[in-house]
Amino acid sequence: MDQGREVFTVDLLERYATKGRGVITCMAAGNDVIVIGTSKGWIIRHDFGVGDSNDIDLSAGRPGEQSIHRVFVDPGGSHCIATVVGSGGADTFYTHAKWTKPRVLSRLKGLVVNAVAWNRQQITEASTREVILGTENGQLYEISVDEKEKREKYIKPLFELAELPEAIMGLQMETAIMSNGSRYYVMAVTPTRLYSFTGIGTLETVFASYLNRAVHFMELPVMVLSEYEVLLLPFYPFSDLHFFIKQRRAIHFAWLSGAGIYHGSLNFGAQHSSPNGDQNFVENKALLDYAKLSNGAEVVKPSSMAVSEFHFLLLIGNKVKVVNRISEQIIEELQFDQVSVNDEGRDMWKVYLDMKEYAAALANSRDPLQRDQVYLVQVLSSLHLVCQAEAAFSSRDFLRAASFYAKDALRTFLLRKLDNLSKDDKCQITMISTWATELYLDKINRLLLEDDTALVNRNSEYQSIIKEFRAFLSDCKDVLDEVTTMRLLESYGRVEELVYFASLKEQHEIVIHYYIQQGEAKKALEVLRKPAVPIDLQVKIKFPMSFPSHSAGWLAGPCIIFFIFYVTEFLIQFSPVQYKFAPDLITLDAYETVEFWMASNNLNPRKLIPAMMRYSSEPHAKNETHEVIKYLEFCIHNLHNEDPGIHNLLLSLYAKQEDDSSLLRFLQCKFGKGQENGPDFFYDPKYALRLCLKEKRMRACVHIYSMMSMHEEAVALALQIDPELAMAEADKVEDDEDLRKKLWLMVAKHVIEQEKGTKRENIRKAIAFLKETDGLLKIEDILPFFPDFALIDDFKEMNDATHGADNIRNDISALAQRYVVIDRDEDCGVCRRKILAIGGDYRMASGYTAVGSMAPFYVFPCGHAFHSHCLIAHVTRCTNESQAEYILDLQKQLTLLGSEVRRESNGGLTNEAITSVSPADKLRSQLDDAVASECPFCGELMIREISLPFIMPEEAQQVASWEIRPQNLGNQRSFSLPV
């Protein structure tokens, strides 16, 4: 290795970090911010980005000595959580970078917080979003704090370790946005176990799901501690968890446990799952034994750890040992104050080369010299295989000789040759790249034949060559012939690599087709959502029908050249990708597909009709949401689509539903009313009529007939359903009086012929029907519809009844012209004052306008007369409570209206005031009906008073006062009188 420059160096960052506030008990860092907790209950925040620092006393107001137990800072350096412990128990505080005073989290009173997991993908400077806290007693809590609210939004328990209630020592959280919600990945460590949790939803629902299933954990026993470690145990619990973050995504983890450093890779997009549905997102797990760090001396466990991309930084005593994560070798030992990273990936190419992982070694090579060394080792390894092949061939072991065939060396040579070619040698680069592709595919097939476990063994040579081949395809995607490479991958049956290469070349149609074949509709839709996928045009490759067969022996250069020229015959045609796959996608996942359609602004719904018809032709549950109807309604009501095909399709789906309410609403809706001189509807009425007749939607047919001005057909059909509907249809014709009369005659004939009662009853109903026509039909118009045996006397009686009703109406009209002569000495029946006396004191009180100087009054046909206010008072007193309240309310409203009229006219009534009191006339009419419908002395009100007692219950006390009671009966004597 190059020893000219150290990978890590030690820098002095802050000499007096605690500012005399005690010794350092804990520390956390994030985004050039370091927060230190001290033994005297202070936290000191150093912001090296702006060169500022401040300190906050968390022990203020707490009795006795206080110490900061743990302090935590989010990756952005804005949010800080700290727990202080002392004789008064434990308290946890939250503070923000902009605050000068902390806020105590009161609902965590008494809980010792050991670990915090931040949601790095969602956290902002203003809000922590969801945060997980781990406590000393094995509990997990969820908390969220908003900087503006100055307090926690909520704190709720998530989980508790019931089986082995150990302290939570470390927490990490990762989130991934899935098509069906957010998936959480949470890891927690105790002194002996590493727990993993995962699920989709909220944190509360994820952890609640573990109440009914087992929690996954990895258990490592605590090794025997030395005397030095026992002394340090209160300060260093020998259990810590770290994620290494690269581009905001955790890629590997490390658990500092009592038995060693347990570490591995994190693959949050893994498809392999456990039987109960949990994703197994931990891969390439390994345990680094502490004995490897001691060099034969006494094993001393690290008291703290930090994780970089390729190394572990372990604090052992007063030194920092830098251990390569891949080789597990100590590369540096540093005296620590603060450690900086200087090109830590410098020698990783050599580490991978020693492990014979050539693809990773090439990926980490920095210059041509390093790459040449990697190629050289590959070639030598391949030549070694050649020697073994020749030896096997000499011993006539041809099968074994074939397995050592020098194809690996040839592939290595071709790759080296590609690096030395200039960009102008395009033809040669394409040929060599294609040849190397063939060699890779042959190697993959041979490994599959040799090892049956290659597909499931993730550490096998097969998996390694797959990664190397994909890296090669990615590097050479621009020089490889697209058609040739795809056909080659197809001929070897490498479907996944074909899809991978198609993605690189943006051949989205192939990728979508593959996902659909796998039943992965959501993944196919994700491809369609990419901006690079066009809506209407997409290149589609058509391969020849016949092709030379490929085998492991077809390796020669001329065959490759023939292959290239042979497959250049292809047809480029344009295919609308979004519409081509629509039938398959809606069949696989109708909900997600329709949601995608509605979110796409540039789709043409008409081109989706075949897909929607295919989906609609399949049976669906009655309570299932019809996704096609949902999309069509969206197109019509939200997008204002006017395509007749869309409207016809929606109408056909409505017609097939059991309930015809949606169909009728659709037919009655005028979609073109917003356009000047535009049509009221966009569907084909003839098609709609045929469809509704076929599906027996008769009410819809009536509406369509009427809309097409086929009123006779509409009324005839309506009479079979509901005569009321027929009458409504007949009334719709207003411009053609003859047609309207003809329609009403159709209704009349039907009504008369359907009546099954006696003749006189039928005639009576016919007369009632004539009244509904408002004089349009006469008796002579409906006579032909009656049977021949109907008696003329019945009609005469009917006619007499009609004349009688007319006479009654005329008498009622004449009542308005009747009058009564009042004698000047006529008294009011209530107050006994003269009816014609001046009534200025109450002229307007009741809402009436007096004529001249006389007060308003009532006169009944029986001869009784009453002042209006006297009559109102008498009726109110004698009637029931509800009627009395109604009368008083009317009188109050009349009074208010009278006041308004006088106020507007400034004391005198004007023409405008008179014409504006029409509401008062209405109220006065209602009051007349309530108090003057009959004479109170001759009508029902007086009859009801007959049953009332002479002495009312409220007069009982007065009656008792008149009672004569005898006194001193004991002193009286009785005498007998002779008869």
Side-chain angles (χ1 to χ4, degrees), residues 40 90 150 271 285 394 554 564 685 794 927 930 937 940 961:
K40 294 184 178 180
K150 306 296 185 184
Q271 298 300 316
K285 294 165 284 191
S394 300
W554 186 57
I564 294 173
D794 297 330
L927 184 60
F937 289 174
E940 185 181 356
S961 65

Side-chain angles (χ1 to χ4, degrees), residues 646-767:
I646 297 298
H647 286 253
N648 288 340
L649 179 56
L650 180 56
L651 187 145
S652 68
L653 297 178
Y654 280 150
K656 295 177 182 178
Q657 292 182 330
E658 293 185 1
D659 185 6
D660 62 353
S661 57
S662 298
L663 174 63
L664 293 174
R665 285 196 302 270
F666 178 78
L667 292 173
Q668 294 166 2
C669 184
K670 295 183 178 181
F671 299 103
K673 62 182 179 181
Q675 302 179 7
E676 186 176 357
N677 299 324
D680 290 340
F681 55 88
F682 299 101
Y683 55 85
D684 183 356
K686 295 180 180 178
Y687 167 77
L689 182 60
R690 290 195 303 270
L691 181 68
C692 292
L693 288 173
K694 177 183 177 182
E695 300 294 336
K696 295 181 174 55
R697 304 300 178 193
M698 296 309 172
R699 287 185 177 271
C701 293
V702 171
H703 178 83
I704 298 172
Y705 275 133
S706 177
M707 182 184 61
M708 297 172 65
S709 298
M710 301 173 66
H711 300 289
E712 294 185 39
E713 290 81 355
V715 171
L717 183 59
L719 289 173
Q720 301 176 22
I721 306 170
D722 183 4
E724 295 292 335
L725 178 61
M727 294 179 190
E729 290 297 324
D731 258 345
K732 288 183 179 180
V733 180
E734 298 177 354
D735 300 333
D736 191 340
E737 192 71 15
D738 292 337
L739 176 59
R740 183 165 177 262
K741 183 174 182 179
K742 182 178 181 180
L743 299 177
W744 273 107
L745 285 173
M746 293 173 60
V747 179
K749 180 179 180 181
H750 177 84
V751 171
I752 293 173
E753 290 178 350
Q754 293 300 315
E755 291 297 338
K756 303 299 183 182
T758 63
K759 290 187 294 295
R760 293 181 181 275
E761 182 181 357
N762 294 345
I763 294 172
R764 192 178 306 111
K765 291 183 178 179
I767 295 301

Side-chain angles (χ1 to χ4, degrees), residues 624-910:
E624 178 184 353
T625 301
H626 202 298
E627 298 298 330
V628 168
I629 291 181
K630 181 174 74 175
Y631 177 66
L632 292 173
E633 290 175 340
F634 172 80
C635 293
I636 293 174
H637 299 296
N638 295 70
L639 303 182
H640 306 291
N641 187 284
E642 300 178 0
D643 192 323
I646 297 298
H647 286 253
N648 288 340
L649 179 56
L650 180 56
L651 187 145
S652 68
L653 297 178
Y654 280 150
K656 295 177 182 178
Q657 292 182 330
E658 293 185 1
D659 185 6
D660 62 353
S661 57
S662 298
L663 174 63
L664 293 174
R665 285 196 302 270
F666 178 78
L667 292 173
Q668 294 166 2
C669 184
K670 295 183 178 181
F671 299 103
K673 62 182 179 181
Q675 302 179 7
E676 186 176 357
N677 299 324
D680 290 340
F681 55 88
F682 299 101
Y683 55 85
D684 183 356
K686 295 180 180 178
Y687 167 77
L689 182 60
R690 290 195 303 270
L691 181 68
C692 292
L693 288 173
K694 177 183 177 182
E695 300 294 336
K696 295 181 174 55
R697 304 300 178 193
M698 296 309 172
R699 287 185 177 271
C701 293
V702 171
H703 178 83
I704 298 172
Y705 275 133
S706 177
M707 182 184 61
M708 297 172 65
S709 298
M710 301 173 66
H711 300 289
E712 294 185 39
E713 290 81 355
V715 171
L717 183 59
L719 289 173
Q720 301 176 22
I721 306 170
D722 183 4
E724 295 292 335
L725 178 61
M727 294 179 190
E729 290 297 324
D731 258 345
K732 288 183 179 180
V733 180
E734 298 177 354
D735 300 333
D736 191 340
E737 192 71 15
D738 292 337
L739 176 59
R740 183 165 177 262
K741 183 174 182 179
K742 182 178 181 180
L743 299 177
W744 273 107
L745 285 173
M746 293 173 60
V747 179
K749 180 179 180 181
H750 177 84
V751 171
I752 293 173
E753 290 178 350
Q754 293 300 315
E755 291 297 338
K756 303 299 183 182
T758 63
K759 290 187 294 295
R760 293 181 181 275
E761 182 181 357
N762 294 345
I763 294 172
R764 192 178 306 111
K765 291 183 178 179
I767 295 301
F769 174 79
L770 287 177
K771 295 178 182 179
E772 295 185 13
T773 66
D774 293 330
L776 181 65
L777 298 183
K778 306 297 182 182
I779 295 177
E780 54 269 24
D781 294 326
I782 66 173
L783 281 178
F785 304 143
F786 284 92
D788 296 336
F789 54 81
L791 297 178
I792 193 66
D793 290 342
D794 297 330
F795 287 101
K796 183 178 180 181
E797 179 183 348
M798 175 182 66
N799 194 30
D800 293 342
T802 302
H803 287 302
D806 293 338
N807 292 334
I808 292 173
R809 283 192 292 268
N810 294 332
D811 290 343
I812 293 175
S813 300
L815 285 175
Q817 307 299 325
R818 293 182 61 186
Y819 62 91
V820 177
V821 177
I822 300 295
D823 189 86
R824 62 180 300 174
D825 296 329
E826 185 73 25
D827 294 335
C828 172
V830 176
C831 67
R832 297 301 177 184
R833 296 170 59 189
K834 302 298 182 182
I835 283 293
L836 302 181
I838 296 176
D841 295 339
Y842 48 84
R843 181 177 303 164
M844 302 299 294
S846 63
Y848 286 86
T849 303
V851 179
S853 60
M854 291 187 299
F857 58 88
Y858 288 94
V859 179
F860 293 93
C862 60
H864 290 113
F866 305 89
H867 290 117
S868 62
H869 74 284
C870 295
L871 178 64
I872 293 173
H874 177 74
V875 174
T876 304
R877 183 173 61 255
C878 297
T879 190
N880 57 63
E881 183 177 355
S882 61
Q883 182 68 9
E885 291 179 355
Y886 173 68
I887 294 172
L888 292 175
D889 182 63
L890 290 174
Q891 189 178 18
K892 180 179 179 181
Q893 294 183 53
L894 277 169
T895 302
L896 293 176
L897 283 175
S899 300
E900 290 180 2
V901 171
R902 287 192 300 274
R903 186 164 54 250
E904 291 176 0
S905 60
N906 295 323
L909 293 176
T910 64

Side-chain angles (χ1 to χ4, degrees), residues 54 88 215 219 232 253 257 260 272 276 306 373 375 427 446 458 469 477 502 526 532 659 701 714 826 956:
N54 60 330
V215 182
E219 187 168 17
L232 292 178
F253 77 97
S257 70
H272 42 282
N276 61 1
Q373 294 185 54
Y375 288 138
C427 183
R446 285 192 288 111
R458 305 188 64 84
F469 180 45
K477 67 178 185 299
E526 289 176 3
D659 185 6
C701 293
E826 185 73 25

